[in-house]
Structure formats: structure tokens, C-alpha cells
Amino acid sequence: MTVAPAPLVDRFSIFWLRDNCGCGDCRDARNGQKLTQITDLPASLAVGSERTVTIDGRAVREIQWLPDGHLSHYPHSWLDSHAPDQPLPDGAASHGDGRTEDAKRLWTAADFAGGLPEAGWTAFRNDAAETARVLEAVADLGFALLRSVPPHSGQVLEVAETFGFIRETNYGRYFDVRIEDAPNNLAFTNAAITPHTDNPYRDPVPTLQLLHCLNNNCQGGDSGLVDGFHAAALLRTEDPAAFDVLTRTMVPFHFADANTELRADRPLIGTDPRGRIREVRFNNRSIGTLRLPAAETAAFYAAYRVFGELLLRPGMRLDFRLTPGDCLIFDNVRLLHARTAFDARGSRHLQGCYADLDGLFSTRAVLGRVRREA
């Protein structure tokens, strides 16, 4: 005895089903984009009939809709792979857009006792599997290090363009990190720089940063990274009240020089509607003057201090030294970067540029698709 399948409306919303109709009237066959708007769907939408039919040798579920009589066909395999109660197919993003904490591997410095996630420049350029491995490290851990990148001026742009697009800012397409006579930013001095994210005063903030070492023969000047998502998750566990304050207090980040005036009001810890950590903006040099009631200001500064101390906790910071040819790629809305002070009598010259995670994620996804189809 054959048991009839349960009606699709027992598993799926009728509007979801109709909105996902794949027929030529509903989607462009060339690019898959929808041809209908939500307002095109009948407000009184209902199922007129439902049955299983065979099309091109595949079993599909057919629905005739009321009141317009439209026919929709849903392959059983497609329904199973998109059901909310089923695991996602291999290769599909299991954490939404991959930007939140649950899509990441959170870490402390001890997790890299066996070495950093790295690859040689030649292998990265010429081996798709090696390219994918490096991009996966940036998506998962927040950073990767390329070795033996030719230490030429402007080479950092070629690195960024292997997986995305340059984000040009007031600092230019790329910028030099070295001592300047009249610096508009402490990065262009020999001072120690504490863990921070770049450009919190910008909206949208550049989500990727690259730093390429051209020269580093000075005493000091070592680099450091801190996993801001891990630190924020610890704060949520250890001091939920402080975490709550830092996720809801809008902080006025600000930058100004002779030619630029930038401001963005954002919390230090950004979360999505489900409360998952999605972004960290932390830069003591760029926080403007808060204008809040005294009690709210006091609560913010107490929480800000707790988070700042947590970021400096022993074991949180991964320290290493960039040598000529090293190019660091890192997630600027997750990782905080830092450096030690260095002797100005030596020479330390990095070149940096900004890019975005969407380009990196796109390249990673296309590489994954090619591997699955091979």
C-alpha cells in the first residue's frame, strides 16, 4: 500500500512555496532572478490541488494555486534540501551569511602553538586548492599569512585583487605604514599601538585589511592579533550586563584631518537580531565625546573598561614578526591588530590596503562550486 505524501503546506508556508516557484513566469531562466514581487501574489492565496507528477524523469510535487490557477512544480530533492527541519546539503552555508560568531572558530594565542595559517605566494596564486585553504582560514579564523610576496611597492593591491576588490579610502588605494614627519594617525609613528580595529568611524567599515611587509630591520615593531569575537563571547559569559551595555550604546567614532571629516555612530559590539556577535569596533583613538545621561555614561565606561581589560588579558594576543615578503590578510570587523613600539633608528615599512569580506566570500564560494562540479 502506497502512502500519499503529506501536503506541502504541512511543512512549508504557502506564500514561501509560491514565492519560490521556479517556472518561467516567476523566474528568469538565464539568471534565476525572480520576476514577481510579493505584491504580485494573491492575498487570498490557497492550494487548489496538489499531486506528484513526473517531469523529465524526476518526481516533482505539483500545486495548482487559487484563485489564479497558476501551476508550480517542486522537485522532491529541492524540497528536502530546503526544508527547515533538514540538514543543509554539503557545501551550503550552515550559518546564514557566515558573518556571525557561530560561523567562526574562536581562538586564543595558544591555539597557534603549531604555527600560523599560512601559504606561499606562488602556491596561493597557482593552486586553486591552496587559494581556497587560505580564504577559508580568513573566513574561519579571521586571518592568514602569505609568505614570499614580492616586496615591491603597490604589490599589496595585487594580493587583494586575487580574491576581491580594493576599498579606496581617504588614505588612498594603498597606504604606507612608516614614520612620517607630520602624521595624521599614530600608525605613522614608531609608538606602540594597542589592539584596535581600523576605520570604526566609517560606514560601511572596510571589513578586510591587508598589511604587506617591505622592510622591518628595526628593534621592536612586532605585530599582534586578538580575536575580538572570542573576547566579546567571554564578556557575555563573565559579565552579561557589561556585554548588554556595549551592544546597545551607540558610540560616536570620529576622524578628522585637513581634508577629511568622518563619523559613524555604532556600538563597540554589534549583534544580529538573534543576539549573535557580528562585528567589533574598538579603537580608543577614534572614540569621540559621548553625549549621554550621566548614569548611562558611567555604565558605558565601566563596561568599556572591562572589555578593554579582557582584550589585554594574557594569552589573548597572538604576537609574531612580519618579515619582508609577508602579507597579512585579516578580518577588520572581528580581529583587533596591534604592534609593539620600535626604535626609530631602524627601518619599518609596511604597505596596507582595505578590501571587503564579500569579495573574499564570493571567491571562496565559486572555488567550492568548481570543486564540487569537477
Side-chain angles (χ1 to χ4, degrees):
M1 177 179 175
T2 302
V3 178
L8 291 185
V9 292
D10 289 352
R11 298 176 69 194
F12 304 99
S13 156
I14 61 171
F15 283 98
W16 181 91
L17 284 165
R18 180 64 183 270
D19 190 43
N20 282 283
C21 177
C23 79
D25 291 332
C26 293
R27 286 184 183 268
D28 189 305
R30 298 162 299 183
N31 53 46
Q33 293 185 339
K34 293 178 182 177
L35 300 172
T36 58
Q37 303 292 328
I38 185 63
T39 51
D40 295 328
L41 306 185
S44 58
L45 186 68
V47 174
S49 64
E50 180 179 341
R51 62 176 182 156
T52 297
V53 299
T54 301
I55 298 179
D56 295 331
R58 290 193 305 170
V60 302
R61 200 68 178 159
E62 178 185 87
I63 292 181
Q64 184 179 49
W65 297 101
L66 296 177
D68 58 357
H70 185 83
L71 279 179
S72 296
H73 295 102
Y74 307 94
H76 288 186
S77 58
W78 185 88
L79 290 166
D80 289 341
S81 65
H82 289 82
D85 57 348
Q86 296 295 318
L88 294 174
D90 290 343
S94 57
H95 302 281
D97 63 3
R99 305 295 183 101
T100 53
E101 60 181 303
D102 53 340
K104 313 295 185 182
R105 191 160 24 132
L106 308 188
W107 54 263
T108 63
D111 292 311
F112 299 101
L116 304 178
E118 62 180 66
W121 171 240
T122 300
F124 174 76
R125 287 298 309 274
N126 299 324
D127 184 341
E130 194 75 345
T131 305
R133 186 179 66 82
V134 170
L135 302 187
E136 184 61 34
V138 178
D140 184 29
L141 298 168
F143 76 104
L145 185 62
L146 294 178
R147 303 282 194 183
S148 301
V149 179
H152 303 150
S153 181
Q155 182 71 31
V156 68
L157 299 177
E158 183 176 339
V159 178
E161 288 171 341
T162 60
F163 56 77
F165 302 92
I166 307 302
R167 172 81 82 85
E168 187 168 0
T169 70
N170 57 297
Y171 299 110
R173 279 176 57 79
Y174 69 90
F175 49 88
D176 292 287
V177 184
R178 59 187 174 188
I179 295 176
E180 295 183 356
D181 292 334
N184 67 351
N185 192 304
L186 284 177
F188 309 134
T189 72
N190 66 324
I193 304 292
T194 55
H196 66 284
T197 63
D198 265 20
N199 288 210
Y201 41 76
R202 198 182 301 278
D203 188 31
V205 65
T207 51
L208 279 181
Q209 184 172 173
L210 290 79
L211 288 172
H212 181 212
C213 181
L214 303 184
N215 190 16
N216 193 5
N217 62 13
C218 60
Q219 188 72 28
D222 290 347
S223 299
L225 294 172
V226 177
D227 187 348
F229 278 19
H230 177 59
L234 283 176
L235 181 69
R236 181 176 55 203
T237 298
E238 297 177 4
D239 194 335
F243 179 84
D244 179 63
V245 167
L246 296 188
T247 59
R248 59 181 170 81
T249 302
M250 298 296 279
V251 176
F253 291 103
H254 180 252
F255 174 84
D257 65 9
N259 302 306
T260 308
E261 184 86 22
L262 297 167
R263 173 169 172 156
D265 289 11
R266 289 291 184 272
L268 296 188
I269 302 172
T271 57
D272 73 358
R274 292 173 55 185
R276 297 175 299 183
I277 299 162
R278 186 176 177 86
E279 178 181 287
V280 171
R281 297 195 190 206
F282 192 96
N283 191 319
N284 64 298
R285 290 170 285 142
S286 301
I287 290 183
T289 303
L290 276 72
R291 297 174 63 87
L292 296 172
E296 293 182 31
T297 302
F300 168 77
Y301 273 98
Y304 179 26
R305 183 181 185 87
V306 172
F307 192 38
E309 290 174 344
L310 199 158
L311 291 166
L312 297 176
R313 185 178 295 178
M316 295 291 288
R317 176 166 157 174
L318 173 67
D319 289 304
F320 51 93
R321 187 173 182 81
L322 293 175
T323 58
D326 291 343
C327 186
L328 180 66
I329 308 168
F330 62 95
D331 182 339
N332 184 52
V333 290
R334 173 185 173 187
L335 299 192
L336 292 79
H337 62 289
R339 73 153 186 249
T340 60
F342 60 93
D343 191 335
R345 292 172 295 182
S347 176
R348 184 179 189 271
H349 183 191
L350 309 182
Q351 283 189 335
C353 74
Y354 298 115
D356 285 297
L357 283 167
D358 56 0
L360 185 146
F361 281 11
S362 172
T363 301
R364 179 184 65 154
V366 170
L367 288 172
R369 189 172 67 208
V370 170
R371 289 198 308 272
R372 291 192 300 273
E373 293 173 352

